Amino acid sequence: MTKPTDDMGDSRPAPAPHAEAEGAGARSPANAECETAKPARKPPRWRRWGVEIGIFVVIFFAVQAWMARDVPAGAAPDFATVAADGCGLSLAEWRAAHPGKAVGVYFWADWCPICTAQQGTIDGVQADHPVLTVAMQSGGAAEVTGVLAERGLAWTTAIDADGRIAEAYGLRGVPAFVIVDPAGKIRSVSLGYTTGWGLRARLWWAGLQS
């Protein structure tokens, strides 16, 4: 009697070689989607920077407008006071000494750190345009003269010891740069630190408005 062989005893059909290969290479639909999906592209860096700068500019001018909300429109309020050199001084006299020109009225204080940081800018602007400075709540003429001498500043400075001049201009703090056109009207007000080129541009533009 012949002993059955292994081939004869196992009646299950052998798997086809190509079926195994197909099973090994198959991918589920979920895996296929994961492999083909691409991450979302980020916007270009310059575009993001442009949006951020635009938001900053909008916020900056909104804050400036809010802080200058009490500044009167139209004619710049005239004032008469004593200058740091002890002589009488008024805005009308100062403007008359610079006919046909836009002038700057710069409010500052000896206790203001931002004013100290900006004094070099004001010095530079004065080389090209007439600027009258107003020392707000910084003492009398003698005290302000001492501050100017200590800092090496040759400024024509009006004394506003009690802050009444700043109040007439609706200013709540310093530094503040008010630009008055040749006709005596307020054209712009800059609050806080301001660049020299920005002040020069505004003075130049105000000079064309008469």
Side-chain angles (χ1 to χ4, degrees):
M1 187 172 183
T2 306
K3 183 180 179 180
T5 62
D6 292 339
D7 293 338
M8 294 176 61
D10 190 354
S11 59
R12 291 174 299 175
H18 65 275
E20 294 181 359
E22 290 177 359
R27 295 291 186 272
S28 66
N31 289 340
E33 291 180 1
C34 292
E35 289 179 356
T36 58
K38 295 182 180 180
R41 294 184 61 183
K42 293 182 178 180
R45 184 175 300 178
W46 63 266
R47 184 178 298 173
R48 298 200 305 271
W49 287 351
V51 171
E52 292 173 359
I53 292 173
I55 293 173
F56 172 81
V57 170
V58 170
I59 293 174
F60 174 80
F61 282 105
V63 171
Q64 288 273 313
W66 182 83
M67 293 179 65
R69 66 191 184 278
D70 295 326
V71 175
D78 194 16
F79 56 82
T81 184
V82 64
D85 61 6
C87 298
L89 177 63
S90 71
L91 177 61
E93 293 171 349
W94 174 257
R95 289 185 52 246
H98 303 88
K101 292 184 178 180
V103 301
V105 183
Y106 174 63
F107 291 82
W108 63 281
D110 65 334
W111 40 264
C112 167
I114 300 178
C115 301
T116 302
Q118 185 155 295
Q119 64 190 25
T121 299
I122 302 303
D123 251 355
V125 173
Q126 281 188 333
D128 304 316
H129 301 275
V131 178
L132 173 63
T133 73
V134 180
M136 187 191 79
Q137 297 178 340
S138 299
E143 290 83 357
V144 173
T145 296
V147 172
L148 295 174
E150 180 182 351
R151 300 182 182 182
L153 302 173
W155 290 357
T156 300
T157 303
I159 305 301
D160 185 21
D162 56 7
R164 291 185 182 180
I165 300 175
E167 183 179 358
Y169 277 77
L171 300 174
R172 300 174 179 271
V174 288
F177 198 99
V178 180
I179 294 178
V180 182
D181 69 14
K185 296 181 179 180
I186 295 177
R187 286 298 174 181
S188 69
V189 179
S190 302
L191 302 168
Y193 187 88
T194 310
T195 62
W197 65 265
L199 294 176
R200 287 184 176 88
R202 293 173 189 176
L203 282 162
W204 171 80
W205 180 251
L208 303 177
Q209 304 304 302
S210 59

